[in-house]
Amino acid sequence: MCSGGFAKCLGISLIPLAILCVFCNILLFFPGGMIVSDNAHITPEVWYFGGILGSGVLMIFPALVFLGLKNNDCCGCCGNESCGKRFAMFTSIIFAALGVLGAGYSFIVSAVAVHNGPTCLFYNETWTNPFNDGDYLYNHTLWDSCKEPVGIVTWHLTLFSMLLVMSLIQAVLCAIQVINGLIGAICGDCCGCCGSTDGAV
């Protein structure tokens, strides 16, 4: 498969991941699936918009660039099509790096959120974050200390874990495109196959 075709496959994979990340981040604004009356009852890490900005908006740009590489017909340098395609592949490296940064940001925010746990109504009737040391991940009996919203620990852990995994996948896909783009920039869109086609003609 040529570099442009492979990049298109990566772009196709990034689009649904970005949509899912945005959806997960939006759901986190409704702790336990409920509408809260006070924004202070929402876990602080939700407001960092890791899924919306990092794995969502910032991921759309590299995804669209990757999708366009397959059909890129840039005339390039002084009409040299090969030069144009190589420049397009080089440009994709920059957008892939942007994708890695966005996914990395979302990954870090999600990891911190998983470690810190959710904001909830503690047994002493105060809204706080009782799991700052991360012990709740190994001791499920601590989950009962959160009275409201109902099921908030499971809700929080599930959605942020999904963001954690999906942002890691996005970072890996963008890192692969960095390598793919570098190969395409050096060798051209199709290393070897284009040259053999030209020779046959």
Side-chain angles (χ1 to χ4, degrees), residues 109-162:
V109 170
S110 300
V112 172
V114 168
H115 178 268
N116 291 344
T119 296
C120 63
L121 181 63
F122 204 39
Y123 68 86
N124 60 0
E125 301 300 326
T126 59
W127 285 88
T128 184
N129 188 332
F131 309 124
N132 283 323
D133 54 4
D135 287 347
Y136 81 104
L137 294 172
Y138 312 101
N139 186 359
H140 290 187
T141 58
L142 294 175
W143 295 15
D144 295 332
S145 60
C146 275
K147 297 176 61 178
E148 293 182 8
V150 178
I152 181 58
V153 179
T154 303
W155 182 270
H156 173 95
L157 193 56
T158 299
L159 291 175
F160 270 117
S161 295
M162 289 177 63

Side-chain angles (χ1 to χ4, degrees), residues 13-65:
S13 301
L14 287 174
I15 293 292
L17 286 173
I19 294 174
L20 285 174
C21 286
V22 171
F23 184 64
C24 286
N25 202 148
I26 291 175
L27 288 178
L28 285 165
F29 282 101
F30 304 94
M34 302 175 61
I35 299 176
V36 295
S37 57
D38 189 345
N39 289 338
H41 298 169
I42 298 176
T43 303
E45 287 79 15
V46 178
W47 295 101
Y48 295 156
F49 300 104
I52 294 177
L53 294 179
S55 289
V57 176
L58 284 180
M59 200 57 59
I60 293 298
F61 296 110
L64 293 178
V65 170

Side-chain angles (χ1 to χ4, degrees), residues 54-91:
S55 289
V57 176
L58 284 180
M59 200 57 59
I60 293 298
F61 296 110
L64 293 178
V65 170
F66 299 167
L67 287 172
L69 288 176
K70 174 64 177 177
N71 300 320
N72 186 289
D73 58 354
C74 176
C75 61
C77 313
C78 300
N80 188 321
E81 182 179 355
S82 175
C83 177
K85 289 185 178 293
R86 293 186 184 196
F87 180 76
M89 294 302 296
F90 175 78
T91 303

